[in-house]
């Protein structure tokens, strides 16, 4: 079976990457215009080839330096590889070139969470534009976990209600319902989707630690780490970072 996705080990631990360019990526790389470089980077990200994506985004930046969306993409690729210093530079460049703080604050929050700066992460999560339910439920999830880590009160939980429109973010809602006491831990069902499973398992891993069920939390962590097919998602990266 053809392997269409790069492994975490090839991107973070310097093992060989066996994923090759598609024909489209090959020709986009050969082009010398800005949009082609950006699209090449986007397609490489879809293959989980973040190292190569960074190169293409940087090539795009050599052509056009003032597109804040480019720096958000470049920051995300670096953040996925735990290149915190480079990610921070990119997000600051996004702000420099016109991005609003409320639209970049989530990325700063995740970056600080992964660095272990939980108080700073909480401050950034509180600045996020949560004008829609999908973003709000995501922020409540990460703000609450950061608050558990920081041993501070997770007051954003007060903004959660069962009837809020969370779009496709049902996994976040499942865990936030647990955090809010509306669902018992024993009643949480692990989704079949790897992405949703990673989100739910990381949430209950953190919750179990918070309520001092340490042995159970280790079981959830090990189960989460089996979902290697979604390793670039934030929940998986956070779990990997804890190991």
């Amino acid at each position: 079976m053809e392997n269409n996705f790069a492994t975490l080990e090839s991107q973070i631990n310097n093992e060989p990457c066996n994923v090759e360019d598609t024909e489209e990526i090959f020709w986009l790389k050969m082009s010398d215009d800005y949009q082609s470089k950006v699209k090449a980077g986007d397609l490489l990200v879809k293959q989980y080839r973040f190292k190569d994506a960074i190169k293409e985004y940087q090539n795009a930046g050599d052509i056009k330096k003032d597109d804040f969306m480019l720096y958000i993409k470049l920051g995300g690729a670096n953040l996925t590889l735990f290149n915190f210093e480079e990610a921070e530079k990119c997000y600051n460049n996004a702000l420099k070139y016109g991005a609003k703080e409320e639209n970049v604050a989530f990325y700063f929050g995740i970056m600080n969470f992964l660095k272990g700066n939980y108080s700073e992460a909480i401050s950034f999560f509180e600045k996020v534009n949560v004008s829609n339910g999908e973003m709000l439920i995501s922020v409540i999830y990460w703000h609450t976990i950061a608050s558990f880590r920081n041993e501070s009160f997770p007051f954003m939980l007060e903004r959660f209600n069962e009837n809020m429109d969370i779009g496709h973010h049902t996994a976040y809602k499942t865990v936030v319902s647990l955090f809010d006491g509306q669902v018992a831990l024993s009643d949480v069902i692990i989704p079949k989707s790897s992405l949703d499973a990673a989100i739910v398992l990381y949430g209950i891993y953190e919750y179990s630690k918070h309520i001092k069920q340490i042995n159970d939390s280790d079981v959830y962590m090990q189960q989460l780490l089996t979902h290697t097919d979604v390793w670039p998602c934030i929940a998986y990266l956070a779990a990997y970072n804890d190991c």
Side-chain angles (χ1 to χ4, degrees):
M1 180 178 178
E2 184 181 0
N3 180 11
N4 294 318
F5 300 98
T7 63
L8 178 150
E9 291 77 15
S10 72
Q11 299 301 294
I12 295 176
N13 296 334
N14 295 316
E15 292 188 7
C17 178
N18 298 318
V19 182
E20 299 180 351
D21 290 348
T22 63
E23 183 176 356
E24 183 178 12
I25 291 173
F26 172 82
W27 287 112
L28 287 168
K29 283 183 174 181
M30 296 298 291
S31 301
D32 58 5
D33 64 285
Y34 176 76
Q35 292 298 335
S36 293
K37 296 299 183 187
V38 173
K39 188 172 182 181
D42 292 346
L43 293 177
L44 288 162
V45 164
K46 289 182 178 180
Q47 290 186 321
Y48 300 172
R49 294 169 60 191
F50 295 94
K51 289 180 178 179
D52 293 328
I54 287 170
K55 293 177 183 177
E56 292 306 311
Y57 289 145
Q58 288 174 334
N59 288 337
D62 290 338
I63 300 169
K64 182 180 180 181
K65 300 182 182 297
D66 61 352
D67 182 356
F68 69 79
M69 278 304 305
L70 173 66
Y71 293 104
I72 290 175
K73 292 179 177 184
L74 189 52
N78 275 290
L79 186 56
T80 302
L81 302 184
F82 302 110
N83 296 335
F84 298 128
E85 185 175 346
E86 288 301 315
E88 185 171 9
K89 289 179 182 177
C90 292
Y91 293 136
N92 281 326
N93 275 331
L95 293 172
K96 175 182 176 181
Y97 291 115
K100 294 181 179 179
E101 183 181 22
E102 63 184 9
N103 294 328
V104 184
F106 184 77
Y107 310 122
F108 276 109
I110 294 299
M111 181 181 68
N112 277 282
F113 181 88
L114 293 176
K115 291 171 67 176
N117 300 332
Y118 303 119
S119 179
E120 290 87 342
I122 289 167
S123 295
F124 278 112
F125 290 139
E126 291 168 2
K127 296 177 182 178
V128 176
N129 177 4
V130 288
S131 58
N132 67 78
E134 290 187 28
M135 179 54 75
L136 177 58
I137 197 70
S138 303
V139 172
I140 293 173
Y141 174 99
W142 287 107
H143 182 278
T144 303
I145 292 175
S147 298
F148 289 164
R149 292 283 185 105
N150 197 51
E151 299 184 350
S152 55
F153 183 72
F155 71 86
M156 285 200 75
L157 266 176
E158 296 174 354
R159 300 188 62 177
F160 173 68
N161 70 76
E162 281 291 333
N163 297 319
M164 63 190 295
D165 182 7
I166 48 83
H168 69 283
H169 284 181
T170 55
Y172 283 122
K173 183 179 179 181
T174 295
V175 178
V176 172
S177 295
L178 171 68
F179 293 163
D180 198 42
Q182 299 186 29
V183 174
L185 180 57
S186 58
D187 292 332
V188 175
I189 298 173
I190 308 303
K192 293 182 179 180
S193 157
S194 284
L195 178 58
D196 288 345
I199 293 169
V200 170
L201 285 165
Y202 190 71
I204 59 179
Y205 159 72
E206 290 289 346
Y207 180 77
S208 297
K209 287 199 306 178
H210 177 64
I211 62 175
K212 310 303 182 184
Q213 293 184 3
I214 305 301
N215 291 335
D216 288 342
S217 69
D218 290 341
V219 172
Y220 297 130
M221 168 67 81
Q222 295 307 313
Q223 189 176 350
L224 191 164
L225 292 174
T226 65
H227 293 280
T228 55
D229 55 320
V230 293
W231 72 261
C233 78
I234 300 170
Y236 192 99
L237 292 172
Y240 178 84
N241 197 43
D242 286 345
C243 295

PDB file of all heavy atoms in Angstrom, residues 44-63:
ATOM      1  N   LEU A  44       2.043  19.965   0.772  1.00  0.00           N
ATOM      2  CA  LEU A  44       3.028  19.231   1.566  1.00  0.00           C
ATOM      3  C   LEU A  44       2.539  19.051   3.006  1.00  0.00           C
ATOM      4  O   LEU A  44       2.759  18.007   3.614  1.00  0.00           O
ATOM      5  CB  LEU A  44       4.376  19.954   1.533  1.00  0.00           C
ATOM      6  CG  LEU A  44       5.113  19.867   0.193  1.00  0.00           C
ATOM      7  CD1 LEU A  44       6.185  20.944   0.093  1.00  0.00           C
ATOM      8  CD2 LEU A  44       5.729  18.482   0.007  1.00  0.00           C
ATOM      9  N   VAL A  45       1.876  20.065   3.541  1.00  0.00           N
ATOM     10  CA  VAL A  45       1.282  19.944   4.872  1.00  0.00           C
ATOM     11  C   VAL A  45       0.253  18.812   4.887  1.00  0.00           C
ATOM     12  O   VAL A  45       0.184  18.033   5.846  1.00  0.00           O
ATOM     13  CB  VAL A  45       0.629  21.278   5.303  1.00  0.00           C
ATOM     14  CG1 VAL A  45      -0.319  21.074   6.486  1.00  0.00           C
ATOM     15  CG2 VAL A  45       1.703  22.300   5.665  1.00  0.00           C
ATOM     16  N   LYS A  46      -0.531  18.696   3.830  1.00  0.00           N
ATOM     17  CA  LYS A  46      -1.522  17.621   3.759  1.00  0.00           C
ATOM     18  C   LYS A  46      -0.869  16.246   3.752  1.00  0.00           C
ATOM     19  O   LYS A  46      -1.493  15.252   4.139  1.00  0.00           O
ATOM     20  CB  LYS A  46      -2.408  17.804   2.520  1.00  0.00           C
ATOM     21  CG  LYS A  46      -3.361  18.985   2.617  1.00  0.00           C
ATOM     22  CD  LYS A  46      -4.250  19.091   1.387  1.00  0.00           C
ATOM     23  CE  LYS A  46      -5.230  20.248   1.514  1.00  0.00           C
ATOM     24  NZ  LYS A  46      -6.107  20.364   0.319  1.00  0.00           N
ATOM     25  N   GLN A  47       0.386  16.180   3.293  1.00  0.00           N
ATOM     26  CA  GLN A  47       1.144  14.931   3.337  1.00  0.00           C
ATOM     27  C   GLN A  47       1.904  14.779   4.658  1.00  0.00           C
ATOM     28  O   GLN A  47       2.650  13.820   4.828  1.00  0.00           O
ATOM     29  CB  GLN A  47       2.153  14.871   2.187  1.00  0.00           C
ATOM     30  CG  GLN A  47       1.563  14.711   0.811  1.00  0.00           C
ATOM     31  CD  GLN A  47       2.650  14.526  -0.246  1.00  0.00           C
ATOM     32  OE1 GLN A  47       3.715  15.154  -0.198  1.00  0.00           O
ATOM     33  NE2 GLN A  47       2.390  13.658  -1.204  1.00  0.00           N
ATOM     34  N   TYR A  48       1.726  15.704   5.575  1.00  0.00           N
ATOM     35  CA  TYR A  48       2.436  15.746   6.854  1.00  0.00           C
ATOM     36  C   TYR A  48       3.937  15.986   6.673  1.00  0.00           C
ATOM     37  O   TYR A  48       4.720  15.717   7.583  1.00  0.00           O
ATOM     38  CB  TYR A  48       2.239  14.459   7.677  1.00  0.00           C
ATOM     39  CG  TYR A  48       0.825  14.124   8.047  1.00  0.00           C
ATOM     40  CD1 TYR A  48       0.532  12.904   8.650  1.00  0.00           C
ATOM     41  CD2 TYR A  48      -0.231  15.004   7.815  1.00  0.00           C
ATOM     42  CE1 TYR A  48      -0.764  12.571   9.018  1.00  0.00           C
ATOM     43  CE2 TYR A  48      -1.526  14.679   8.179  1.00  0.00           C
ATOM     44  CZ  TYR A  48      -1.789  13.459   8.775  1.00  0.00           C
ATOM     45  OH  TYR A  48      -3.073  13.129   9.136  1.00  0.00           O
ATOM     46  N   ARG A  49       4.305  16.562   5.563  1.00  0.00           N
ATOM     47  CA  ARG A  49       5.727  16.846   5.270  1.00  0.00           C
ATOM     48  C   ARG A  49       6.020  18.303   5.655  1.00  0.00           C
ATOM     49  O   ARG A  49       6.237  19.165   4.822  1.00  0.00           O
ATOM     50  CB  ARG A  49       6.027  16.571   3.804  1.00  0.00           C
ATOM     51  CG  ARG A  49       5.914  15.111   3.423  1.00  0.00           C
ATOM     52  CD  ARG A  49       5.961  14.916   1.921  1.00  0.00           C
ATOM     53  NE  ARG A  49       7.210  15.405   1.338  1.00  0.00           N
ATOM     54  CZ  ARG A  49       7.413  15.541   0.016  1.00  0.00           C
ATOM     55  NH1 ARG A  49       6.425  15.226  -0.835  1.00  0.00           N
ATOM     56  NH2 ARG A  49       8.554  15.978  -0.441  1.00  0.00           N
ATOM     57  N   PHE A  50       6.059  18.542   6.942  1.00  0.00           N
ATOM     58  CA  PHE A  50       6.155  19.910   7.435  1.00  0.00           C
ATOM     59  C   PHE A  50       7.521  20.532   7.178  1.00  0.00           C
ATOM     60  O   PHE A  50       7.622  21.742   6.952  1.00  0.00           O
ATOM     61  CB  PHE A  50       5.803  19.941   8.923  1.00  0.00           C
ATOM     62  CG  PHE A  50       4.375  19.566   9.181  1.00  0.00           C
ATOM     63  CD1 PHE A  50       4.026  18.256   9.488  1.00  0.00           C
ATOM     64  CD2 PHE A  50       3.366  20.514   9.086  1.00  0.00           C
ATOM     65  CE1 PHE A  50       2.702  17.905   9.701  1.00  0.00           C
ATOM     66  CE2 PHE A  50       2.038  20.171   9.294  1.00  0.00           C
ATOM     67  CZ  PHE A  50       1.710  18.867   9.605  1.00  0.00           C
ATOM     68  N   LYS A  51       8.576  19.741   7.216  1.00  0.00           N
ATOM     69  CA  LYS A  51       9.904  20.281   6.921  1.00  0.00           C
ATOM     70  C   LYS A  51       9.953  20.835   5.498  1.00  0.00           C
ATOM     71  O   LYS A  51      10.459  21.939   5.266  1.00  0.00           O
ATOM     72  CB  LYS A  51      10.965  19.187   7.075  1.00  0.00           C
ATOM     73  CG  LYS A  51      11.232  18.751   8.496  1.00  0.00           C
ATOM     74  CD  LYS A  51      12.310  17.673   8.506  1.00  0.00           C
ATOM     75  CE  LYS A  51      12.648  17.231   9.900  1.00  0.00           C
ATOM     76  NZ  LYS A  51      13.680  16.155   9.911  1.00  0.00           N
ATOM     77  N   ASP A  52       9.437  20.083   4.548  1.00  0.00           N
ATOM     78  CA  ASP A  52       9.435  20.530   3.156  1.00  0.00           C
ATOM     79  C   ASP A  52       8.465  21.692   2.956  1.00  0.00           C
ATOM     80  O   ASP A  52       8.724  22.599   2.159  1.00  0.00           O
ATOM     81  CB  ASP A  52       9.063  19.368   2.227  1.00  0.00           C
ATOM     82  CG  ASP A  52      10.121  18.278   2.204  1.00  0.00           C
ATOM     83  OD1 ASP A  52      11.309  18.615   2.363  1.00  0.00           O
ATOM     84  OD2 ASP A  52       9.767  17.104   2.040  1.00  0.00           O
ATOM     85  N   ALA A  53       7.353  21.660   3.690  1.00  0.00           N
ATOM     86  CA  ALA A  53       6.383  22.755   3.592  1.00  0.00           C
ATOM     87  C   ALA A  53       7.015  24.071   4.049  1.00  0.00           C
ATOM     88  O   ALA A  53       6.804  25.121   3.425  1.00  0.00           O
ATOM     89  CB  ALA A  53       5.151  22.448   4.429  1.00  0.00           C
ATOM     90  N   ILE A  54       7.795  24.016   5.107  1.00  0.00           N
ATOM     91  CA  ILE A  54       8.459  25.219   5.606  1.00  0.00           C
ATOM     92  C   ILE A  54       9.350  25.826   4.528  1.00  0.00           C
ATOM     93  O   ILE A  54       9.362  27.051   4.324  1.00  0.00           O
ATOM     94  CB  ILE A  54       9.273  24.895   6.879  1.00  0.00           C
ATOM     95  CG1 ILE A  54       8.318  24.658   8.053  1.00  0.00           C
ATOM     96  CG2 ILE A  54      10.261  26.020   7.212  1.00  0.00           C
ATOM     97  CD1 ILE A  54       8.989  24.096   9.295  1.00  0.00           C
ATOM     98  N   LYS A  55      10.061  24.987   3.809  1.00  0.00           N
ATOM     99  CA  LYS A  55      10.942  25.485   2.740  1.00  0.00           C
ATOM    100  C   LYS A  55      10.139  26.204   1.656  1.00  0.00           C
ATOM    101  O   LYS A  55      10.547  27.263   1.173  1.00  0.00           O
ATOM    102  CB  LYS A  55      11.728  24.319   2.129  1.00  0.00           C
ATOM    103  CG  LYS A  55      12.739  23.691   3.067  1.00  0.00           C
ATOM    104  CD  LYS A  55      13.424  22.505   2.410  1.00  0.00           C
ATOM    105  CE  LYS A  55      14.382  21.812   3.365  1.00  0.00           C
ATOM    106  NZ  LYS A  55      14.999  20.603   2.745  1.00  0.00           N
ATOM    107  N   GLU A  56       9.009  25.621   1.278  1.00  0.00           N
ATOM    108  CA  GLU A  56       8.198  26.250   0.228  1.00  0.00           C
ATOM    109  C   GLU A  56       7.562  27.546   0.721  1.00  0.00           C
ATOM    110  O   GLU A  56       7.499  28.534  -0.021  1.00  0.00           O
ATOM    111  CB  GLU A  56       7.119  25.273  -0.262  1.00  0.00           C
ATOM    112  CG  GLU A  56       7.679  24.077  -1.013  1.00  0.00           C
ATOM    113  CD  GLU A  56       8.570  24.472  -2.175  1.00  0.00           C
ATOM    114  OE1 GLU A  56       8.163  25.337  -2.983  1.00  0.00           O
ATOM    115  OE2 GLU A  56       9.695  23.922  -2.267  1.00  0.00           O
ATOM    116  N   TYR A  57       7.095  27.557   1.953  1.00  0.00           N
ATOM    117  CA  TYR A  57       6.549  28.803   2.505  1.00  0.00           C
ATOM    118  C   TYR A  57       7.631  29.879   2.593  1.00  0.00           C
ATOM    119  O   TYR A  57       7.373  31.059   2.324  1.00  0.00           O
ATOM    120  CB  TYR A  57       5.949  28.555   3.890  1.00  0.00           C
ATOM    121  CG  TYR A  57       4.666  27.761   3.900  1.00  0.00           C
ATOM    122  CD1 TYR A  57       4.393  26.870   4.940  1.00  0.00           C
ATOM    123  CD2 TYR A  57       3.699  27.912   2.903  1.00  0.00           C
ATOM    124  CE1 TYR A  57       3.206  26.149   4.988  1.00  0.00           C
ATOM    125  CE2 TYR A  57       2.516  27.194   2.936  1.00  0.00           C
ATOM    126  CZ  TYR A  57       2.275  26.315   3.981  1.00  0.00           C
ATOM    127  OH  TYR A  57       1.092  25.601   4.018  1.00  0.00           O
ATOM    128  N   GLN A  58       8.840  29.475   2.963  1.00  0.00           N
ATOM    129  CA  GLN A  58       9.938  30.438   3.020  1.00  0.00           C
ATOM    130  C   GLN A  58      10.260  30.964   1.615  1.00  0.00           C
ATOM    131  O   GLN A  58      10.555  32.164   1.450  1.00  0.00           O
ATOM    132  CB  GLN A  58      11.172  29.793   3.648  1.00  0.00           C
ATOM    133  CG  GLN A  58      11.043  29.566   5.142  1.00  0.00           C
ATOM    134  CD  GLN A  58      12.204  28.795   5.729  1.00  0.00           C
ATOM    135  OE1 GLN A  58      12.869  28.014   5.038  1.00  0.00           O
ATOM    136  NE2 GLN A  58      12.451  28.984   7.021  1.00  0.00           N
ATOM    137  N   ASN A  59      10.204  30.094   0.624  1.00  0.00           N
ATOM    138  CA  ASN A  59      10.417  30.536  -0.761  1.00  0.00           C
ATOM    139  C   ASN A  59       9.337  31.538  -1.170  1.00  0.00           C
ATOM    140  O   ASN A  59       9.613  32.518  -1.878  1.00  0.00           O
ATOM    141  CB  ASN A  59      10.398  29.333  -1.710  1.00  0.00           C
ATOM    142  CG  ASN A  59      11.635  28.461  -1.574  1.00  0.00           C
ATOM    143  OD1 ASN A  59      12.684  28.922  -1.115  1.00  0.00           O
ATOM    144  ND2 ASN A  59      11.526  27.200  -1.966  1.00  0.00           N
ATOM    145  N   ALA A  60       8.109  31.283  -0.725  1.00  0.00           N
ATOM    146  CA  ALA A  60       7.025  32.225  -1.015  1.00  0.00           C
ATOM    147  C   ALA A  60       7.299  33.569  -0.343  1.00  0.00           C
ATOM    148  O   ALA A  60       7.068  34.636  -0.928  1.00  0.00           O
ATOM    149  CB  ALA A  60       5.694  31.651  -0.529  1.00  0.00           C
ATOM    150  N   GLY A  61       7.817  33.516   0.884  1.00  0.00           N
ATOM    151  CA  GLY A  61       8.136  34.739   1.599  1.00  0.00           C
ATOM    152  C   GLY A  61       9.240  35.547   0.954  1.00  0.00           C
ATOM    153  O   GLY A  61       9.294  36.779   1.112  1.00  0.00           O
ATOM    154  N   ASP A  62      10.106  34.882   0.214  1.00  0.00           N
ATOM    155  CA  ASP A  62      11.153  35.610  -0.523  1.00  0.00           C
ATOM    156  C   ASP A  62      10.558  36.418  -1.672  1.00  0.00           C
ATOM    157  O   ASP A  62      11.153  37.394  -2.127  1.00  0.00           O
ATOM    158  CB  ASP A  62      12.185  34.622  -1.074  1.00  0.00           C
ATOM    159  CG  ASP A  62      13.041  34.005   0.020  1.00  0.00           C
ATOM    160  OD1 ASP A  62      13.145  34.609   1.107  1.00  0.00           O
ATOM    161  OD2 ASP A  62      13.592  32.919  -0.214  1.00  0.00           O
ATOM    162  N   ILE A  63       9.390  35.988  -2.143  1.00  0.00           N
ATOM    163  CA  ILE A  63       8.732  36.675  -3.253  1.00  0.00           C
ATOM    164  C   ILE A  63       7.824  37.788  -2.735  1.00  0.00           C
ATOM    165  O   ILE A  63       7.790  38.893  -3.286  1.00  0.00           O
ATOM    166  CB  ILE A  63       7.905  35.663  -4.086  1.00  0.00           C
ATOM    167  CG1 ILE A  63       8.827  34.578  -4.658  1.00  0.00           C
ATOM    168  CG2 ILE A  63       7.154  36.375  -5.209  1.00  0.00           C
ATOM    169  CD1 ILE A  63       8.072  33.396  -5.265  1.00  0.00           C
TER     170      ILE A  63
END
